[in-house]
């Protein structure tokens, strides 16, 4: 099976341009391709996971990835998938986020000896002369055609700022610049980026001639990635400080039965033959598949040792053992009222609820347990001696756990 055929079999490719040329390039390790990441936070999250795994997969086959950090486009803001305008960030915040991205990407991509590049589009976008850009690049874009793009159409009713309207031109200019400076002949992106990506390909061919070798390949990075990257409590981060290895493992351990094989194909590096054998798995076997998924992805992000610790902790937790190595929180004398802390205070202290009212609802709905015993009384309270007498584990629902310690 060729690399391109494997990408198709793993369910990664949605649309492409110049399919035969793309096959020739990536199957023979001749592609120099880029994927862009706008630094809107100080950590990557699992919504970026598919893109990172794809870059790693193609690099292993001899192709050269370019990780483009959008320090410049972040100053504009991508309207794709948004119902309102993104919050404006300071240049200092953007630079900090870019530095964080670079460290995390190095776990997936080998940047040594020129095997991959990391670039920041602030290096060329921030110095552009506005009038020169309008004449040199803007002349090649039709406003009528831009307004047919989904990323703009969905915003027209609620309002699209002129600032955001320029995002397509900025992203297109990225491809044009990378094509000229780095020999980049291919760009990857999500389905909501398709119009922007086509804009880059067209810009290259308009300015450099129709024979300019620039491809566009469209992968379902965002529609799937954003779906996987959100939980009820927000994003699942790749930074272990923001999302612990245990919580990261548990996130993937709790994917739905219908998604587990799709995730195994798209995100892991297990052979397709091994994954295909799981197609007939049912019941408890699907739980085994989820354990495999969670372990593989946790090892990829946090290393084998942390993956093993998370797996052992999860198994110990569900088997009733009391030595699970899970996220912990501390209570002190300062947290007590009249010598005790109630269940609502514990839930907030553990980070399992955002407020006491949120904690009250969780208890009244029957979703809270302490050491595997359901707590339904919102007045239930504990002393520090009770909490410290044995391992004290509080749960909210099936997916959120915390060990309470006394300090």
């Amino acid at each position: 099976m060729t690399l391109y055929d494997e990408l198709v079999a793993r369910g990664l490719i949605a649309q492409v341009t110049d399919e035969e040329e793309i096959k020739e390039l990536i199957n023979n390790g001749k592609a120099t391709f880029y994927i862009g990441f706008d630094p809107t936070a100080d950590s990557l999250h699992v919504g970026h996971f598919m893109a990172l795994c794809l870059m790693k997969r193609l690099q292993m086959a001899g192709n050269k990835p370019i990780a483009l950090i959008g320090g410049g486009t972040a100053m504009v803001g991508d309207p794709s998938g948004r119902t309102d305008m993104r919050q404006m960030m300071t240049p200092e915040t953007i630079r900090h986020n870019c530095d964080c991205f670079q460290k995390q990407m190095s776990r997936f991509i080998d940047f040594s000896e020129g095997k991959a590049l990391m670039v920041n589009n602030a290096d060329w976008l921030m110095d552009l002369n506005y009038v020169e850009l309008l004449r040199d690049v803007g002349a090649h874009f039709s406003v009528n055609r831009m307004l047919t793009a989904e990323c703009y159409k969905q915003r027209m009713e609620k309002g699209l700022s002129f600032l955001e309207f320029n995002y397509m031109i900025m992203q297109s200019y990225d491809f044009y610049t990378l094509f000229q400076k780095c020999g980049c002949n291919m760009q990857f992106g999500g389905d909501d980026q398709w119009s922007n990506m086509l804009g880059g390909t067209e810009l290259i061919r308009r300015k450099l001639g129709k024979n300019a070798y620039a491809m566009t390949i469209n992968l379902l990075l965002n529609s799937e990635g954003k779906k996987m990257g959100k939980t009820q409590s927000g994003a699942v981060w790749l930074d272990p400080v923001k999302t612990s290895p245990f919580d990261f493992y548990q996130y993937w351990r709790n994917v739905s039965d219908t998604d587990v094989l799709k995730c195994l194909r798209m995100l892991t590096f297990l052979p397709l033959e091994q994954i295909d054998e799981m197609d007939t798995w049912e019941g408890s076997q699907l739980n085994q598949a989820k354990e495999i998924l969670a372990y593989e992805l946790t090892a990829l992000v946090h290393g084998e040792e942390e993956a093993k610790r998370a797996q052992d902790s999860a198994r110990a937790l569900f088997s009733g053992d009391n030595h699970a190595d899970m996220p912990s929180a501390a209570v002190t004398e300062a947290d007590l009222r009249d010598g005790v802390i109630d269940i609502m205070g514990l839930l907030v202290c553990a980070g399992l609820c955002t407020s006491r009212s949120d904690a009250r609802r969780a208890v009244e709905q029957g979703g809270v347990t302490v050491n595997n015993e359901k707590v339904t009384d919102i007045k239930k309270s504990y002393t520090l001696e009770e909490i410290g007498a044995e391992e004290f584990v509080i749960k909210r629902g099936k997916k959120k756990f915390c060990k309470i310690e006394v300090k």
Side-chain angles (χ1 to χ4, degrees), residues 84-378:
D84 55 6
M85 185 172 171
R86 292 184 187 274
Q87 182 178 355
M88 299 291 285
M89 296 185 294
T90 66
E92 292 75 22
T93 298
I94 292 172
R95 281 195 295 270
H96 171 71
N97 293 350
C98 288
D99 292 340
C100 294
F101 276 26
Q102 183 169 352
K103 292 177 183 177
Q104 292 178 346
M105 286 181 180
S106 296
R107 289 199 64 91
F108 294 83
I109 305 166
D110 181 5
F111 290 100
S112 67
E113 301 175 353
K115 296 176 183 175
L117 296 175
M118 181 171 290
V119 297
N120 187 331
N121 62 13
D123 292 342
W124 56 83
L125 292 181
M126 300 301 288
D127 294 331
L128 288 173
N129 176 284
Y130 182 63
V131 174
E132 288 181 0
L133 177 68
L134 290 179
R135 289 176 59 87
D136 188 42
V137 178
H140 298 288
F141 286 81
S142 162
V143 171
N144 291 346
R145 185 170 178 180
M146 291 172 70
L147 290 175
T148 64
E150 286 299 322
C151 61
Y152 292 148
K153 285 169 60 178
Q154 63 189 9
R155 288 288 305 281
M156 290 302 292
E157 290 185 7
K158 293 194 174 183
L160 175 71
S161 72
F162 182 71
L163 179 69
E164 296 170 291
F165 188 63
N166 282 270
Y167 190 90
M168 181 185 291
I169 295 177
M170 298 293 97
Q171 183 171 331
S172 299
Y173 192 78
D174 285 344
F175 193 16
Y176 172 69
T177 301
L178 292 175
F179 178 85
Q180 289 192 297
K181 293 186 175 181
C182 306
C184 180
N185 51 26
M186 195 177 297
Q187 60 177 327
F188 290 22
D191 59 335
D192 61 350
Q193 297 292 314
W194 185 242
S195 296
N196 296 344
M197 294 160 64
L198 290 177
T201 302
E202 187 168 331
L203 176 62
I204 292 172
R205 292 179 177 174
R206 280 176 174 267
K207 288 187 65 63
L208 303 179
K210 292 184 178 180
N211 294 326
Y213 215 53
M215 314 294 175
T216 301
I217 184 169
N218 185 32
L219 306 178
L220 287 173
L221 301 181
N222 289 322
S223 60
E224 294 294 337
K226 287 180 179 178
K227 174 185 174 183
M228 292 187 293
K230 296 288 183 181
T231 65
Q232 291 180 352
S233 60
V236 177
W237 305 99
L238 305 193
D239 183 345
V241 175
K242 297 170 78 73
T243 298
S244 71
F246 178 84
D247 284 338
F248 188 84
Y249 178 95
Q250 283 298 109
Y251 174 78
W252 296 108
R253 173 62 181 79
N254 289 300
V255 299
S256 69
D257 291 354
T258 56
D259 285 341
V260 59
L261 291 182
K262 177 171 64 178
C263 290
L264 280 165
R265 289 190 175 95
M266 288 182 167
L267 303 178
T268 76
F269 290 80
L270 295 174
L272 279 171
E273 295 80 3
Q274 180 180 347
I275 301 172
D276 289 342
E277 291 175 0
M278 302 179 193
D279 274 332
T280 59
W281 288 12
E282 297 178 350
S284 61
Q285 285 183 308
L286 280 178
N287 288 331
Q288 183 182 346
K290 293 177 186 180
E291 279 199 344
I292 293 171
L293 172 69
Y295 182 88
E296 291 292 326
L297 299 189
T298 306
L300 186 60
V301 174
H302 299 295
E304 294 281 348
E305 182 177 347
E306 289 291 351
K308 185 67 166 62
R309 282 163 57 89
Q311 185 176 70
D312 290 345
S313 297
R315 287 175 175 174
L317 182 66
F318 285 110
S319 67
D321 292 344
N322 290 322
H323 56 271
D325 178 18
M326 68 185 73
S328 62
V331 294
T332 67
E333 290 279 356
D335 297 310
L336 303 183
R337 293 183 181 178
D338 298 326
V340 298
I341 181 170
D342 63 20
I343 187 64
M344 293 183 290
L346 277 176
L347 285 164
V348 174
C349 180
L352 300 181
C353 293
T354 57
S355 64
R356 288 182 64 85
S357 59
D358 182 29
R360 174 191 287 269
R361 287 192 296 271
V363 173
E364 291 177 340
Q365 292 169 1
V368 175
T369 63
V370 170
N371 291 341
N372 293 319
E373 293 186 6
K374 183 175 289 190
V375 178
T376 57
D377 182 3
I378 61 172

Side-chain angles (χ1 to χ4, degrees), residues 36-54:
F37 301 83
D38 275 354
T40 54
D42 59 359
S43 173
L44 297 163
H45 56 72
V46 299
H48 299 114
F49 208 33
M50 194 180 297
L52 294 169
C53 292
L54 179 70

